[in-house]
Amino acid sequence: MTVLTSPVRSKKIVINKTWCKGCGICAALCSGVLIIDSSGKAAVVNAAQCTACGKCITHCPDFAISIRED
Amino acid sequence: MQGNAERYLNKERLPHIWCPGCGNGIVLGALIRAFDKMGVDQDKTVVISGIGCSSRASGYLDFNSMHTTHGRALAFATGIKLARPEINVFVLMGDGDASAIGGNHLIHAARRNIDITTVIFNNSIYGMTGGQYSPLTPRDCRATTAPYGTVERPFDLAGLAQAAGATYVGRATTYHTGLLTRLIISGACHKGFSVIEAVTACPVSFGRRNEMGSGHEMLMWQKEHGVPVEKAKHLTPEEMKDKFIIGELHKSVAPEYTEIYGQLIKKAQCSYKGE
C-alpha cells in the first residue's frame, strides 16, 4: 500500500496496489493528483491538490482507492 | 475503498476477475454504497445472479447469495421471495442474461410485480463468451458475431420492463454513480418489481471493436450521452438522437405478488377449515 498525505485537509489517499489493475480511470478523472506509474499501477503525485471529492473512489472499478482521515 | 460500505464486500475474493477499465466494479461499488446507506442487514438479504461477467458480482459480496443458471436468476429469486417474503431480494444480471436468455423471466417477474430489486449491468455485449452481440447492442455496432455491424434493433430495456408491468424503473450509468446509488435505494424501498439499468463499459469486447477507446473514454461517452429526465423534456428528438435518458423513468403503484399470494393462502386455509 502507498500512503501519501494531503496537508490541506489532513486526508490520506490510499492505493491498494494489489487490487489496482492500472486502468487509468482515476488518473484521467483527476490528472493533477493521480497517475499510472511505471509499474502500471495508480500512484499519488500531488497529494496537496487533493480536495477529497471522492470521485476517484466511486469511479475506481477495482475498489483500490480510499481516502482516510488522519 | 468504500468506507463503511466495504463491509458488504467479500474481500477474500478480491481482486476481481473483471478486465482493467470494466465498469462492472463501478456498478458494484454503487450497489454496496446503496446497501450501506440503507443499512441493509446481511442476514435478511439475498443476492442472486445469473451467468456472465456481471453475474460474478454476487461472489464478491458478503451475503447469502446464489450464482444461478443463465437467465434464470429471477426464477430462483421468485422462489426465494415467495418462500420468505420478509427477505430482501436483489438480483444482478447482465444485458444478455436479462433480455435474451432470461427475457421471459424478466417480463413475467415484471408482470407479477413481485417485490424484487433487479440491477441490470448493460455493457451492450456478451463479454465473457467473446463479444457476441446481445439484444441491447445498438444497431450498426460491431461484435464478433456482427463484424459489419448489427442489423437488429436493440431493446429499450427500461421501456420493456415498464410495458411488462414493472412498477419502478430507472437508468443510470457508471459515470453517474451518485444517481445509480440513489436509484438502487429508491428501487429497493419501492414495494414491487424494480428494474435499475446500469449502463456500463466493456472496453475489451465492445469498446475496442467500436473504436470507443479506453475505460475512461467510454466513461466520458456515458457522461455525454446520458441525459437526465428533466433536461430531456426540453430537448427535441433531433437533439436526443443517439442519446438516452437517465434518472427515475417510471414509478407506479400496483398489487404486489407475495402479498396477494399470502392473502390467497389465508383464504384457501379458511375455506379448507370451513370457516
Side-chain angles (χ1 to χ4, degrees), chain A residues 14 16 18-29 55 57-68, chain B residues 1-2 9 11 14-22 25-26 28-29 32-33 174-177 215-216 219-220:
Chain A
V14 184
N16 183 335
T18 309
W19 291 1
C20 173
K21 291 183 178 145
C23 69
I25 287 176
C26 60
L29 288 175
K55 204 167 182 177
I57 300 174
T58 55
H59 290 79
C60 173
D62 304 321
F63 310 107
I65 307 176
S66 54
I67 295 178
R68 289 186 191 157
Chain B
M1 248 213 293
Q2 311 282 332
L9 285 174
K11 284 179 242 170
L14 296 172
H16 53 59
I17 64 154
W18 294 319
C19 304
C22 168
I26 305 177
L28 187 58
I32 60 170
R33 287 192 297 280
T174 52
Y175 180 83
H176 306 86
T177 53
H216 168 253
L219 214 54
M220 289 301 112

Side-chain angles (χ1 to χ4, degrees), chain A residues 24-53:
Chain A
I25 287 176
C26 60
L29 288 175
C30 194
S31 56
V33 177
L34 291 149
I35 59 158
I36 299 299
D37 68 13
S38 55
S39 68
K41 305 278 184 177
V44 183
V45 287
N46 193 350
Q49 277 192 23
C50 173
T51 59
C53 70

Side-chain angles (χ1 to χ4, degrees), chain B residues 211-231:
Chain B
E211 294 166 6
M212 294 179 78
S214 65
H216 168 253
E217 286 165 301
M218 293 183 79
L219 214 54
M220 289 301 112
W221 181 92
Q222 292 167 16
K223 180 189 178 187
E224 287 154 17
H225 289 78
V227 181
V229 177
E230 285 306 314
K231 191 179 174 188

